Amino acid sequence: MSLIMSPILLADQLLRMAEDAEGVTFKDLGLADQLVDACEKLGWTTPLKIQAEAIPLALEGKDVIGLAQTGSGKTGAFALPILHALLEAPRPKHFFSLVLSPTRELAIQISEQFEALGAEIGVKCAVLVGGIDMVPQAVKIGKQPHIIVGTPGRVLDHLKNTKGFILNGLKYLVLDEADRLLNEDFEQSLHEILEAIPRQRRTFLFSSTMTKKVEKLQRVHLRNPVKIEAASKYSTVDTLKQQFRFLPAKHKDCYVVYILNEMAGSTSMVFTRTCDSTQLLALTLRNLGFKAIPINGHMSQSKRLGALNKFKSGDCNILLCTDVASRGLDIPTVDMVINYDIPTNSKDYIHRVGRTARAGGSGIAISLVNQYELEWYLQIEKLIKKKLPEYPAQEEEVLLLEERVSEAKRLSAMKLKENGGKRRRNGEGDIEGEYIEKYLGLKDGKSSKKFRRK
Ligand code: AMP
């Protein structure tokens, strides 16, 4: 039985991530012909809502605050007006715009979109993110790129240490996912960067939520900004089927395996609370013959990108992730989201399930709630203003898997433990261990065939 065959049409249909702005074209928005052509080449036939609203305001020279999430088309909403201004600008044009992002992956995706949209006009970008050698980045800076995209810590590092990297002429600043830029890790660097760049500039601030810190930031650093909203904040799309299952903690693995079996062939993201759980569960699933791969904050930049690429390319169809991966990553087709652990912050639920049922497609999100997580789950229902139906499954049928699942888990835990003795962390906090990486699919080599499903 395919669970996505009969999506329940839920009452409120907000957070439409790919809602077209009716009848308006990119040309109507006032963009230069080269950029209209570039959109066409990318298959962007019509501007998305956030683009239709933000681009004309940005072209008028306004500071813009956009309440929007990844998937809404916000990158185009800021990249296109910046590229338009770049085309029209007199020389010098280097270090024309700085885009700050909270994650390395998002920074890379943003830079890729700038390069794709600006291919015709020869735009040069540099990505400055942590976890990667600074020297090649400094070389890139030396080539005088037009657009710098980076995470605050690394950008500041280069501002302090890389000769010739001075942002005196900066014209555009973008603060992407500003709510996350203002967390403990980045806040100090962000403020230092804001001190080091010219006040005479345009600023675009995008955030999925308007927290008190974001309000304060915008009051101090934006000038008469216009606020636009891509969608209502805490709601879920009408084509998303959402279910929960209340179950004892010890049965979670069995349920995950059962659900993934039922949905065999679909692309799924399974969210866990800790980095270690992504590994243990990925290994368990691989032992059972699933094509699963973990992505989490303990992995180095290149491993994370490698895992993401395996998922994007279809080599692996199950991504085990922490909330690091719930935001910012450009993953176009996910059929199902499983909340293996219920997020303690209910807003994370919205971000997680936002990975499925995008652009009007259908999708399913299933939350496995144990006795300790009930409180958090009820908070989620309160936030989305819905009582969700229960995931229908015969417990006896699910528990038939118990023996094989616990054996696979026991062996996985053992392997991880053995590896724990050998592993060491490198300077970037990456877990190094040839042995386990091979089993996790992070290094070339096949997953263990020993425990494949019969
Ligand atoms: P973003 O929210 O910027 O991460 O964009 C989400 C996805 O939407 C990306 O894969 C973009 O390539 C895609 N996209 C952005 N604008 C458009 C558009 N006007 N038409 C179709 N797809 C778009």
Side-chain angles (χ1 to χ4, degrees):
M1 179 193 67
S2 166
L3 292 169
I4 48 171
M5 287 302 281
S6 54
I8 297 167
L9 289 184
L10 296 163
D12 50 58
Q13 56 164 97
L14 300 162
L15 203 110
R16 265 203 172 281
M17 287 180 167
E19 192 176 2
D20 288 353
E22 259 172 60
V24 182
T25 65
F26 278 106
K27 189 155 181 66
D28 296 336
L29 301 182
L31 289 167
D33 288 344
Q34 294 101 309
L35 297 173
V36 176
D37 290 348
C39 292
E40 214 165 277
K41 281 200 179 122
L42 288 182
W44 298 7
T45 46
T46 4
L48 299 178
K49 185 169 177 279
I50 186 105
Q51 296 162 351
E53 289 184 17
I55 292 171
L57 294 167
L59 293 180
E60 270 175 41
K62 297 241 169 25
D63 279 7
V64 176
I65 299 174
L67 289 178
Q69 297 177 355
T70 296
S72 60
K74 66 185 163 75
T75 315
F78 62 74
L80 285 163
I82 291 174
L83 291 169
H84 181 95
L86 182 68
L87 264 171
E88 296 202 325
R91 294 197 168 273
K93 298 185 181 191
H94 61 275
F95 307 147
F96 189 77
S97 173
L98 170 66
V99 183
L100 293 174
S101 130
T103 68
R104 303 155 179 185
E105 288 84 1
L106 184 57
I108 291 164
Q109 284 165 24
I110 292 170
S111 146
E112 284 169 355
Q113 279 206 33
F114 264 104
E115 279 171 352
L117 291 168
E120 297 282 307
I121 60 173
V123 76
K124 280 192 284 181
C125 297
V127 179
L128 309 182
V129 293
I132 282 175
D133 195 346
M134 277 183 76
V135 177
Q137 294 179 351
V139 172
K140 268 256 162 123
I141 289 173
K143 294 190 177 152
Q144 311 251 304
H146 306 111
I147 315 286
I148 306 283
V149 190
T151 47
R154 183 53 68 96
V155 168
L156 186 64
D157 225 350
H158 279 290
L159 276 173
K160 288 180 174 166
N161 301 308
T162 302
K163 228 176 132 208
F165 187 40
I166 300 160
L167 296 179
N168 286 347
L170 190 81
K171 296 287 184 280
Y172 283 84
L173 171 71
V174 181
L175 302 168
D176 197 20
E177 303 216 345
D179 49 341
R180 298 178 78 200
L181 285 174
L182 286 165
N183 75 15
E184 276 170 30
D185 293 343
F186 304 126
E187 200 173 353
Q188 180 58 29
S189 314
L190 176 64
H191 286 293
E192 284 188 51
I193 293 170
L194 287 165
E195 289 305 309
I197 60 176
R199 287 181 183 274
Q200 285 295 327
R201 54 153 209 266
R202 298 267 66 87
T203 307
F204 301 148
L205 178 153
F206 285 82
S207 187
S208 49
T209 49
M210 206 55 189
T211 61
K212 285 210 172 70
K213 280 186 175 180
V214 177
E215 286 268 1
K216 192 170 164 213
L217 180 81
Q218 65 98 352
R219 274 201 307 275
V220 181
H221 295 283
L222 275 69
R223 287 189 309 178
N224 302 323
V226 191
K227 197 189 270 181
I228 53 174
E229 214 163 321
S232 175
K233 285 178 282 177
Y234 306 129
S235 44
T236 45
V237 287
D238 57 351
T239 50
L240 170 66
K241 182 176 175 180
Q242 299 175 84
Q243 297 174 331
F244 80 101
R245 183 76 185 208
F246 190 56
L247 74 187
K250 62 177 182 192
H251 290 163
K252 278 204 178 183
D253 300 308
C254 256
Y255 269 87
V256 166
V257 171
Y258 179 86
I259 295 167
L260 290 170
N261 248 334
E262 287 286 297
M263 295 285 284
S266 309
T267 47
S268 306
M269 288 175 83
V270 181
F271 284 91
T272 66
R273 189 163 308 121
T274 67
C275 297
D276 286 348
S277 312
T278 63
Q279 298 216 358
L280 180 57
L281 198 51
L283 203 48
T284 306
L285 291 173
R286 289 175 81 84
N287 280 344
L288 289 163
F290 291 97
K291 292 191 288 176
I293 194 136
I295 183 165
N296 63 53
H298 282 174
M299 286 156 60
S300 69
Q301 167 67 357
S302 59
K303 297 263 165 52
R304 279 153 78 171
L305 283 178
L308 194 58
N309 283 339
K310 283 198 173 166
F311 186 64
K312 279 186 177 178
S313 69
D315 272 2
C316 292
N317 65 332
I318 302 166
L319 188 69
L320 283 299
C321 45
T322 53
D323 281 300
V324 160
S326 74
R327 288 218 232 169
L329 300 182
D330 187 14
I331 300 167
T333 47
V334 181
D335 303 318
M336 173 164 69
V337 166
I338 300 179
N339 290 312
Y340 178 89
D341 290 317
I342 300 303
T344 51
N345 179 348
S346 26
K347 288 171 203 160
D348 284 336
Y349 175 85
I350 308 286
H351 296 301
R352 290 180 181 189
V353 302
R355 314 310 314 186
T356 182
R358 296 162 89 182
S362 59
I364 182 162
I366 303 171
S367 299
L368 303 178
V369 189
N370 69 24
Q371 61 271 39
Y372 313 108
E373 297 169 315
L374 189 58
E375 190 66 26
W376 300 325
Y377 176 71
L378 294 176
Q379 285 299 327
I380 291 168
E381 284 199 335
K382 210 164 135 196
L383 185 75
I384 61 174
K385 299 194 179 72
K386 284 184 194 117
K387 282 258 166 253
L388 301 183
E390 195 183 24
Y391 172 72
Q394 291 294 330
E395 180 138 301
E396 308 83 72
E397 206 184 318
V398 178
L399 296 186
L400 288 177
L401 296 164
E402 198 166 19
E403 209 174 304
R404 283 188 28 236
V405 173
S406 34
E407 179 62 1
K409 190 173 187 182
R410 190 183 65 78
L411 291 165
S412 307
M414 215 165 70
K415 272 193 196 127
L416 284 169
K417 209 168 156 201
E418 273 171 33
N419 185 68
K422 295 177 202 163
R423 78 185 183 186
R424 62 188 164 82
R425 280 171 194 275
N426 66 18
E428 291 146 18
D430 189 21
I431 295 168
E432 291 201 335
E434 294 266 324
Y435 174 66
I436 212 69
E437 279 172 4
K438 203 175 97 198
Y439 281 105
L440 285 171
L442 297 169
K443 255 210 158 58
D444 285 338
K446 298 271 175 277
S447 68
S448 169
K449 290 267 185 328
K450 222 158 120 198
F451 312 98
R452 287 191 91 82
R453 277 178 293 176
K454 288 163 200 148

